[in-house]
Amino acid sequence: MLFVQADGGVAFRAGVDGAHTPNSKFCRVEARQMADGSWKKAGWRSSDAVHTLSAELAIDTSGLVKRRRCNGLQIHDGSDDVMQVMRHETLGLGVMTNDGGTWLSLDPAYAGARFGCDIRVEGGLVRVTYNGTKTVEFKKSGSGWYWKAGCYLQSDMATYGEPSTSWGQVTIWRLDETGTAVTR
């Protein structure tokens, strides 16, 4: 796992041979939302305020061989992901929801270029806008939600046969969050 400065941004790079937590299947290197500039974990309700995450990023999966899938932005709750902005080897760029059961396409031709992404959560609706034009939305409510940004691979050596030298990278140039975070 690696954080490096890249062209004015921060590159989050994860290798398939990297460590992961007991609750995750794949290697990742991410930033997690904390509450009010403290070391307390953020956790908010989808209905307690309008929550937004605005980012400028690029998702590079060129270092993966067998399964080129990587998440760059997520909403998570206390037990699992709520949604992911993902680059997928055959589907392009989109939003994955329902524990991988639903794909909402943002750009089927996405090839790793820098893009803008805004996620807005308000009153049980999650709206994701790509480059200020393409928007997808879905209904979802919950509590204990928080933002995650970085590189979360969706491949590994044991399950998908990735070579040990395989990697993915997400570079983030801008990341802005607004909303009311409550501690949990």
Side-chain angles (χ1 to χ4, degrees):
M1 294 183 282
L2 178 67
F3 300 93
V4 296
Q5 185 177 12
D7 187 30
V10 176
F12 296 77
R13 181 179 282 204
V16 295
D17 62 344
H20 56 85
T21 62
N23 296 329
S24 94
K25 183 175 178 181
F26 307 114
C27 183
R28 64 184 180 214
V29 56
E30 302 171 306
R32 185 211 196 277
Q33 180 187 15
M34 303 301 278
D36 302 324
S38 69
W39 286 103
K40 293 180 183 177
K41 295 178 179 179
W44 38 269
R45 292 184 180 280
S46 59
S47 60
D48 70 1
V50 176
H51 296 270
T52 60
L53 183 69
S54 182
E56 193 171 338
L57 68 156
I59 303 174
D60 177 7
T61 59
S62 64
L64 296 169
V65 176
K66 300 287 185 173
R67 191 173 194 235
R68 292 182 160 187
R69 298 181 190 180
C70 183
N71 302 335
L73 303 172
Q74 293 185 50
I75 299 175
H76 218 276
D77 66 16
S79 61
D80 205 355
D81 57 273
V82 173
M83 60 79 68
Q84 309 159 349
V85 175
M86 175 191 286
R87 180 174 178 189
H88 186 285
E89 71 268 21
T90 58
L91 301 174
L93 184 72
V95 176
M96 185 73 74
T97 67
N98 297 324
D99 206 22
T102 303
W103 177 263
L104 304 169
S105 181
L106 291 170
D107 183 352
Y110 180 75
R114 188 171 174 169
F115 68 95
C117 186
D118 297 304
I119 305 170
R120 181 181 176 95
V121 178
E122 181 177 17
L125 186 67
V126 179
R127 179 176 289 127
V128 182
T129 303
Y130 170 71
N131 279 339
T133 58
K134 171 74 177 186
T135 300
V136 299
E137 60 186 33
F138 60 96
K139 292 182 180 184
K140 187 79 171 185
S141 296
S143 62
W145 288 17
Y146 57 93
W147 305 109
K148 289 170 63 172
C151 179
Y152 188 176
L153 301 180
Q154 298 296 296
S155 192
D156 64 0
M157 294 183 309
T159 310
Y160 297 103
E162 287 285 353
S164 63
T165 56
S166 297
W167 55 270
Q169 179 172 301
V170 174
T171 303
I172 299 174
W173 287 270
R174 182 178 51 80
L175 190 63
D176 299 308
E177 178 272 336
T178 60
T180 306
V182 292
T183 59
R184 54 179 182 126

